[in-house]
Amino acid sequence: MKALTATRYGGAETLRLADLPIPEPGPGQVQVRIAAAGLNPADLRLVSGVFKERVPLTFPHVLGSDFAGTVTAIGAGVDRFVPGDEIFGLGLSRSAGALARLLCDPPPFTTGTMAEYAVFEATTPALAPRPSGLPAEHAATLPMAALTAFPLLRAWDFTPGTKVLVIGATGGVGGAVVPLLAARGVHVIATAIPADETYVKGLGAAETIDRSADVGAETLRRHPGGVDALVNLALPGGDLPALTPVVRPGGGLFTVAFPSPAPGTGFETLYATARPGDLEEVAELAMRGVLPPTAGRRYRLEDATRAYTDWEREHVRGKLVVTVQQT
């Protein structure tokens, strides 16, 4: 099979399309013919080596976590899926043991989704059936983004009329956070470049602030009493304390970005989690139009190296998606 691999630690320049054996499912596993895979920042972050003490990679390393595809074979003891089932979800490299267990139990180990075939643990809640009306390319954009947004929605009482400043709304996670907050009646104030204003408002943002401006000062100019919560999807932790004055006393301070802020800043760091039934709810929300398509650019597997190069070097709106095989 064809697979996008990293040959060593580094950036997108380390990636190569390689011929690898098709992985076979062992007991409790399913083999999936990948139709589409979504890029995530963590894909290149793992390859960069920044986590190599906690997540040492074995090379060649197949990239990719988010996917949609068709079950093609099952291992012994699997009764949740059968060959021919259309599914979607995400998986992490087996070397990412601690991170995978933080996501869910059983952990969602995979051989890598930027490939024509991948193997997954069948019982993980990070897999779910894909409804026939949900296109594979749309489904492949949803898992990591939505499963990062869900813990945020559970962490605080986002009631109708609540004012929330969302930093980094144009990225992949913003494509889930903004519409899910808007669906609750939240007044979302989103940072974006002017060219992305229409896109972000289409997700449900009530207003936007140019991210190149003094975001804190502009927020307080528009809302002198401050906002009720701040949700950071993009800035490193060291940049966040300067923004705390925009949040009223007793408000919420949340971040999902790496690296986390130092202890004592008041921010709560949230991690993606997959509870049983979460991805089924994600599929339902997508079918109802609450989670809209956010694929900004589409690539073929043969061009996947360019997809990661574009993500690394250019401004990206929404999610980048690789079409692996036609459904």
Side-chain angles (χ1 to χ4, degrees), residues 16 35 41 49 62 65 133 160 164 176-177 179 188 194 199 212 226 240 254 284-285:
R16 300 289 185 274
V62 180
S65 52
V164 178
V177 168
V188 176
Y199 168 76
S212 66
L240 296 179
F254 305 100
E284 179 187 353
L285 290 168

Side-chain angles (χ1 to χ4, degrees), residues 175-321:
V177 168
V178 173
L180 288 174
L181 288 175
R184 291 194 172 191
V186 170
H187 182 96
V188 176
I189 307 151
T191 66
I193 64 173
D196 289 340
E197 180 177 2
T198 299
Y199 168 76
V200 174
K201 287 188 174 180
L203 293 176
E207 54 182 300
T208 63
I209 294 176
D210 188 339
R211 71 180 190 184
S212 66
D214 184 333
V215 172
E218 179 61 16
T219 300
L220 289 174
R221 185 187 71 80
R222 299 185 192 185
H223 304 279
V227 297
D228 298 295
L230 185 155
V231 174
N232 174 55
L233 310 178
L235 293 178
D239 293 348
L240 296 179
L243 288 171
T244 56
V246 309
V247 181
R248 63 170 177 76
L253 296 166
F254 305 100
T255 183
V256 304
F258 173 84
S260 298
T265 59
F267 276 85
E268 180 179 354
T269 300
L270 301 172
Y271 300 95
T273 57
R275 296 180 181 180
D278 275 358
L279 274 184
E280 287 82 356
E281 183 178 354
V282 169
E284 179 187 353
L285 290 168
M287 292 291 289
R288 287 168 40 201
V290 176
L291 288 171
T294 59
R297 304 182 197 173
R298 294 170 173 82
Y299 304 78
R300 299 177 303 165
L301 182 60
E302 292 80 4
D303 302 320
T305 297
R306 183 165 60 86
Y308 280 99
T309 301
D310 288 350
W311 181 88
E312 192 174 49
R313 298 178 181 176
E314 300 178 11
H315 170 70
V316 172
R317 175 195 299 169
K319 295 279 285 191
L320 301 187
V321 177

Side-chain angles (χ1 to χ4, degrees), residues 13-35:
E13 75 281 354
T14 70
L15 307 184
R16 300 289 185 274
L17 193 65
D19 287 306
L20 297 178
I22 295 175
E24 297 295 331
Q29 297 179 330
V30 295
Q31 179 195 76
V32 176
R33 181 179 185 265
I34 304 296

Side-chain angles (χ1 to χ4, degrees), residues 76-152:
V78 174
D79 57 10
R80 183 183 179 195
F81 301 112
V82 298
D85 283 351
E86 297 292 337
I87 67 173
F88 78 114
L90 65 88
L92 297 177
S93 167
R94 192 165 291 276
S95 61
L99 295 177
R101 291 181 177 88
L102 185 65
L103 180 67
C104 60
D105 185 31
F109 295 130
T110 184
T111 53
T113 64
M114 287 290 168
E116 292 178 315
Y117 291 87
V119 162
F120 302 86
E121 304 299 320
T123 57
T124 175
L127 302 182
R130 175 172 67 89
S132 59
L134 180 61
E137 288 188 347
H138 186 182
T141 68
L142 295 170
M144 186 64 78
L147 295 177
T148 302
F150 276 16
L152 169 68

